Amino acid sequence: MTSARMFRKELVGLLLLTALGAALRLPFLIESVFIPVDGDTAIIGLMAKHGAWTGTMWGQPYGSPVESWFARPIVEFLGASRLSIRLTYFLLSVA
């Protein structure tokens, strides 16, 4: 088997596993849109909305702002909403 064929086979397998993971997580995304946002998630949303590039979450001595960096383009595109923040976490969980 050539290396190109083996690469394609592995790529197809990876894409199928990713699609399966997304399909398994999709019901949780749909349900989470109807659940109120907690404080830490709201802070991530606000940081994404305002484009904060700080070392920790606002007002917290803990927590990483990396989620807000990933959420920034989604919040810019969809607007600040529960869906945009939950979609960020959905995409991170599939990745």
Side-chain angles (χ1 to χ4, degrees):
M1 186 179 297
T2 65
S3 63
R5 179 178 268 177
M6 195 158 67
F7 175 75
R8 270 189 246 132
K9 208 174 189 182
E10 290 175 358
L11 182 63
V12 168
L14 180 64
L15 290 175
L16 286 174
L17 284 175
T18 303
L20 177 64
L24 290 173
R25 296 283 300 161
L26 188 61
F28 296 105
L29 171 66
I30 293 168
E31 184 177 339
S32 72
V33 172
F34 301 105
I35 298 172
V37 175
D38 66 352
D40 288 343
T41 306
I43 291 172
I44 293 297
L46 287 170
M47 290 176 69
K49 181 179 177 183
H50 296 286
W53 293 96
T54 60
T56 59
M57 289 170 49
W58 287 348
Q60 307 293 335
Y62 63 89
S64 171
V66 174
E67 292 99 345
S68 72
W69 302 342
F70 286 119
R72 176 77 175 161
I74 297 171
V75 169
E76 283 291 317
F77 184 71
L78 296 177
S81 66
R82 279 186 274 191
L83 175 63
S84 61
I85 297 302
R86 303 297 172 127
L87 185 60
T88 302
Y89 286 112
F90 171 78
L91 292 174
L92 286 172
S93 71
V94 172

